[in-house]
């Protein structure tokens, strides 16, 4: 699957082009939002996250709950913050994972500034979540930071246990 590059729809575009782009985005959103959609590649996850999190103006922490075949069970925005921070509580993430009977999770939060480099706090909460979820046999597959159209992956940097 090729990566989708979402670009802003501009006033210079012909109306037919604008309609085609909006329709394509709508179709992709419908496909990827459905429970049961497989999140088996980072390309698919990144496309989904771009659609969901790029327009946000405050930090939000979202969890995608997956079954043992990495199919989407549900997704929830568990925490909302300010323009530059949000407080994440491992207990609430574990409760939500158990509620959805998840085998694995994908963590994601956005940086409205557009900067995808994780802070020390981002790295620490990821470690805490990996440990807390591990106690109940829920695997953290990745943690993504969305900064505009750019998305950073903890797994790709080797920051999650294998």
């Amino acid at each position: 699957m090729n990566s989708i590059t979402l670009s802003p729809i501009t006033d210079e575009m012909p109306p037919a082009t604008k309609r085609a782009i909006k329709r394509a985005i709508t179709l992709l959103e419908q496909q990827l939002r459905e429970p049961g959609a497989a999140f088996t590649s980072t390309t698919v996850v990144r496309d989904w996250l771009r659609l969901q999190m790029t327009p946000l103006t405050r930090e939000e922490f979202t969890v995608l709950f997956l079954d043992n075949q990495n199919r989407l069970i549900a997704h929830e925005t568990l925490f909302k913050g300010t323009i530059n921070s949000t407080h994440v509580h491992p207990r609430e993430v574990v409760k939500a994972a158990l509620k959805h009977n998840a085998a694995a999770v994908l963590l994601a939060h956005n940086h409205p500034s557009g900067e995808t480099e994780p802070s020390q706090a981002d790295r620490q909460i990821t470690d805490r979540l990996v440990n807390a979820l591990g106690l109940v046999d829920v695997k953290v597959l990745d943690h993504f930071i969305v900064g505009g159209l750019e998305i950073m992956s903890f797994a790709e940097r080797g920051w999650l246990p294998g």
Side-chain angles (χ1 to χ4, degrees):
M1 179 181 226
N2 292 332
S3 178
I4 295 172
T5 303
L6 299 177
S7 59
I9 297 174
T10 64
D11 290 335
E12 300 87 46
M13 291 180 177
T17 301
K18 289 180 191 178
R19 284 191 303 275
I21 291 170
K22 286 180 181 177
R23 179 73 181 135
I25 289 172
T26 300
L27 289 171
L28 182 60
E29 282 180 317
Q30 289 170 351
Q31 178 185 0
L32 295 179
R33 281 187 181 160
E34 285 196 23
F39 284 84
T40 54
S41 79
T42 59
T43 300
V44 171
V45 176
R46 279 185 163 94
D47 290 344
W48 190 91
L49 291 172
R50 280 186 189 98
L51 290 170
Q52 301 297 317
M53 301 188 88
T54 295
L56 300 175
T57 57
R58 298 181 334 179
E59 273 202 25
E60 294 189 9
F61 189 91
T62 296
V63 181
L64 285 72
F65 302 97
L66 308 175
D67 67 13
N68 59 3
Q69 300 297 312
N70 294 340
R71 291 180 303 232
L72 183 65
I73 297 169
H75 64 89
E76 284 187 52
T77 298
L78 294 178
F79 309 101
K80 294 184 179 190
T82 64
I83 60 170
N84 63 358
S85 70
T86 190
H87 294 286
V88 176
H89 304 281
R91 173 188 172 98
E92 298 304 316
V93 178
V94 170
K95 281 173 44 179
L98 293 172
K99 175 180 86 174
H100 292 294
N101 200 28
V105 295
L106 293 167
L107 310 172
H109 77 280
N110 65 310
H111 285 174
S113 68
E115 176 59 49
T116 59
E117 196 58 35
S119 66
Q120 189 59 35
D122 292 335
R123 301 232 4 219
Q124 289 172 343
I125 194 61
T126 302
D127 290 343
R128 290 182 63 205
L129 289 169
V130 167
N131 292 331
L133 288 161
L135 293 173
V136 293
D137 295 323
V138 176
K139 184 166 176 61
V140 176
L141 299 178
D142 209 339
H143 182 174
F144 296 93
I145 298 179
V146 179
L149 296 178
E150 296 299 314
I151 300 178
M152 190 285 306
S153 159
F154 277 60
E156 288 176 355
R157 291 202 179 174
W159 292 346
L160 292 175

